[in-house]
Amino acid sequence: MSVNQINYKNILSELQTTNTTLVAVSKTKPAQEIRELYDIGQRDFGENYVQELTEKAEMLPKDIRWHFIGHLQRNKVKYIASFVHLIHGVDSEKLLNEINKEGRKNNKVINCLLQIHIAQEETKFGFDRQEVTDLMDKIKSGKLVFEHVKICGLMGMASFTEDMQKVKAEFEMLQSLFKEVKQSFPEMDTLSMGMSGDYNIAVASGSTMVRIGSLLFGARV
Ligand SMILES: *Cc1c(COP(=O)(O)O)cnc(C)c1O
């Protein structure tokens, strides 16, 4: 198995015109394949599992920007806080509190995205529109303060379906929420949406960051 460099180059050139960041999702794939993409210039990599991430981060070059894109348990924040570049899946105030605490211990500000539940599937984590609006209101008014967290934007996953109209509608919903939240927080600049099967639709709906795994590394077992 090795990296699909042709897909990599094609995706990069597609994304170039829209200024979208590519996060190469390397979960379950060996460090050696990450290294292969690194050697041709890729720096942003996404992982879903804390232990796997910490092991790979130790073995690989220090200038890799590691994105944690999985569901993060509060008791595991401490293992990634010191080096993680961006945590995509923040889905509760309690988790934000924990990240803030670990940020303080590490004397840094940790970049986060709030995960929004846009799919119809019950299994996907995240805030709904009302919850995220309430949370951001509390932050705006100073009721909630996270000195060691920077909320850079929103993240979402569309339904796993062949129905691309539905996927499009979900991404557009997230884009409109992002625009709304940005009115109070203009510094937010990241909308993470789009994977191997739907990144084109996501980019057309205003995504600024796509998370692509299988097109680059092949199918996962
Ligand atoms: C695995 C995963 C991806 C990448 O999925 P592909 O379909 O392989 O591109 C993107 N985002 C999240 C949150 C994931 O868990």
Side-chain angles (χ1 to χ4, degrees):
M1 287 302 279
S2 82
V3 172
N4 191 326
Q5 295 202 11
I6 295 172
N7 280 355
Y8 177 65
K9 285 177 183 152
N10 286 340
I11 293 168
L12 270 193
S13 69
E14 280 168 23
L15 295 179
Q16 210 173 24
T17 52
T18 56
N19 236 329
T20 313
T21 303
L22 170 63
V23 176
V25 176
S26 46
K27 63 183 176 210
T28 78
K29 301 297 176 181
Q32 175 198 333
E33 293 188 13
I34 297 175
R35 183 75 213 202
E36 193 183 327
L37 265 193
Y38 176 90
D39 285 340
I40 56 172
Q42 180 65 19
R43 290 295 177 271
D44 291 274
F45 290 90
E47 291 282 340
N48 287 53
Y49 308 102
V50 167
Q51 193 181 344
E52 188 179 340
L53 170 56
T54 54
E55 285 169 10
K56 286 174 174 171
E58 206 152 290
M59 286 190 273
L60 286 156
K62 298 303 167 212
D63 62 339
I64 287 180
R65 293 184 289 270
W66 291 106
H67 296 246
F68 190 81
I69 64 170
H71 181 63
L72 183 56
Q73 289 170 294
R74 273 180 283 153
N75 60 359
K76 299 211 169 146
V77 177
K78 56 177 176 283
Y79 300 116
I80 62 171
S82 66
F83 68 90
V84 74
H85 173 67
L86 177 62
I87 300 175
H88 289 232
V90 177
D91 62 355
S92 72
E93 198 180 303
K94 283 180 172 171
L95 180 57
L96 270 179
N97 261 317
E98 185 64 26
I99 296 170
N100 190 53
K101 200 176 98 191
E102 292 300 324
R104 183 178 304 122
K105 276 192 204 160
N106 287 278
N107 196 22
K108 69 181 273 204
V109 174
I110 300 178
N111 297 323
C112 291
L113 302 177
L114 301 178
Q115 183 169 359
I116 309 299
H117 186 277
I118 52 170
Q120 273 176 357
E121 288 135 46
E122 271 308 307
T123 52
K124 298 220 163 84
F125 296 99
F127 294 99
D128 64 28
R129 194 180 192 102
Q130 190 60 50
E131 289 166 341
V132 81
T133 309
D134 290 349
L135 175 68
M136 297 315 285
D137 284 348
K138 283 198 246 173
I139 292 175
K140 192 76 197 173
S141 69
K143 245 193 208 163
L144 268 182
V145 182
F146 300 112
E147 285 179 327
H148 295 273
V149 169
K150 179 177 179 206
I151 299 175
C152 305
L154 306 180
M155 176 267 201
M157 285 168 88
S159 295
F160 187 70
T161 171
E162 303 278 285
D163 181 355
M164 289 302 149
Q165 283 310 318
K166 185 173 175 185
V167 169
K168 184 163 179 270
E170 291 174 353
F171 284 149
E172 284 175 352
M173 195 159 67
L174 185 53
Q175 180 188 33
S176 89
L177 180 59
F178 182 59
K179 283 185 180 159
E180 189 183 312
V181 176
K182 252 174 92 89
Q183 292 186 341
S184 311
F185 298 88
E187 67 279 15
M188 279 195 186
D189 58 5
T190 308
L191 180 55
S192 166
M193 58 184 195
M195 315 181 10
S196 290
D198 57 21
Y199 75 91
N200 282 311
I201 304 172
V203 170
S205 308
S207 171
T208 71
M209 188 174 273
V210 294
R211 311 174 308 269
I212 295 181
S214 34
L215 279 180
L216 303 174
F217 295 102
R220 290 175 294 272
V221 276

